[in-house]
């Protein structure tokens, strides 16, 4: 397997299709939009107090030329993270872990690779565009505090439907209350920028037991 041969089964088409959510149909009236923004700010304040969490699910990646899918286990503790992907069919896996200033990628030919930025490390080593640090916020339906200005769009029920930040567009679906966190979290997240796509289906959220 070459360095750019990320060990994910090339089975992404079904998951990529299944993850697509409905884009916001029309802007909410100003008063309803303001109320939705206020609820979003309150959600983000709660999430900031629950900086230790874990998700397990399925992920599909595409860069316009290649696509792959597999299982994902993401552990987060503040700025520290550990993201493991595995392809059950090929029995291969890789893991990236680090914090705000360091990243280490394991599971590729040639041994571990390290760098200061997880996104750049993955891009150079695998060809995949995965904004790891920003996704730590985005996957929970929150704006990335280290990112630029964000645009929010809400569905008719007031839930966050789309977030745009730093050139990425995040679409959300299947919100469910997570008692451990005290807020709703999305079970489906689609992230796109140009030809790069990350599709995530969350099978389980948990809080307070992550230990990167």
């Amino acid at each position: 397997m070459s360095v750019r041969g990320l060990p994910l089964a090339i089975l992404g088409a079904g998951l990529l299709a299944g993850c697509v959510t409905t884009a916001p149909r029309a802007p909410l009236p100003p008063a309803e939009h303001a109320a939705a923004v206020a609820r979003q700010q309150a959600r983000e304040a709660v999430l900031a107090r629950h900086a230790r969490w874990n998700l397990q699910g399925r992920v599909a990646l595409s860069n316009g030329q290649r696509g792959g899918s597999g299982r994902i286990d993401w552990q987060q503790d503040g700025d520290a993270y550990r993201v493991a992907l595995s392809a059950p069919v090929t029995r291969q896996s890789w893991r990236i872990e680090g914090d705000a200033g360091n990243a280490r990628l394991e599971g590729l030919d040639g041994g571990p690779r390290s760098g200061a930025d997880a996104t750049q490390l993955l891009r150079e080593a695998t060809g995949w565009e995965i904004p790891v640090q920003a996704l730590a916020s985005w996957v929970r339906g929150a704006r990335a505090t280290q990112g630029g200005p964000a645009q929010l769009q809400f569905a008719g029920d007031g839930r966050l439907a789309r977030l745009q930040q730093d050139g990425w567009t995040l679409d959300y679906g299947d919100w469910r209350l997570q008692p451990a966190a005290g807020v709703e979290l999305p079970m489906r997240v689609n992230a796109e920028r140009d030809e790069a796509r990350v599709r995530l289906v969350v099978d389980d959220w948990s809080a307070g037991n992550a230990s990167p």
Side-chain angles (χ1 to χ4, degrees), residues 170-205:
L170 289 295
D171 287 323
Y172 298 94
D174 195 11
W175 290 85
R176 300 184 191 179
L177 178 64
Q178 304 299 320
V183 296
E184 290 186 327
L185 292 175
M187 306 301 288
R188 292 178 179 267
V189 182
N190 299 348
E192 294 187 11
R193 187 177 73 175
D194 300 325
E195 293 185 332
R197 297 183 180 183
V198 180
R199 301 285 190 257
L200 178 66
V201 175
V202 180
D203 295 323
D204 181 67
W205 285 102

Side-chain angles (χ1 to χ4, degrees), residues 36-173:
V37 170
R39 288 193 296 270
Q40 175 69 14
Q41 292 172 335
R43 277 190 69 257
E44 291 177 351
V46 172
L47 292 174
R49 297 194 295 269
H50 291 270
R52 199 176 189 189
W53 52 267
N54 171 255
L55 74 80
Q56 294 179 327
R58 293 156 284 160
V59 66
L61 308 173
S62 175
N63 63 7
Q65 298 178 341
R66 296 183 297 128
S69 67
R71 300 288 307 177
I72 183 170
D73 186 316
W74 188 319
Q75 299 180 21
Q76 190 81 23
D77 188 356
D79 289 333
Y81 56 85
R82 178 184 294 158
V83 184
L85 280 85
S86 61
V89 174
T90 61
R91 297 184 180 181
Q92 295 174 315
S93 63
W94 61 267
R95 182 178 72 187
I96 187 165
E97 58 183 36
D99 53 31
N102 298 279
R104 178 182 172 89
L105 178 62
E106 299 178 346
L108 301 181
D109 288 350
R113 294 192 172 202
S114 299
D117 180 80
T119 301
Q120 182 177 350
L121 180 62
L122 282 167
R123 183 190 307 118
E124 293 176 351
T126 70
W128 299 111
E129 187 77 17
I130 308 175
V132 176
Q133 290 171 298
L135 272 175
S137 297
W138 292 341
V139 294
R140 297 199 295 169
R143 290 165 286 191
T145 57
Q146 74 274 26
Q151 295 182 341
L152 304 175
Q153 296 183 42
F154 300 92
D157 58 9
R159 291 184 174 93
L160 181 64
R162 173 170 290 177
L163 186 160
Q164 293 174 295
Q165 189 174 24
D166 296 341
W168 285 87
T169 296
L170 289 295
D171 287 323
Y172 298 94

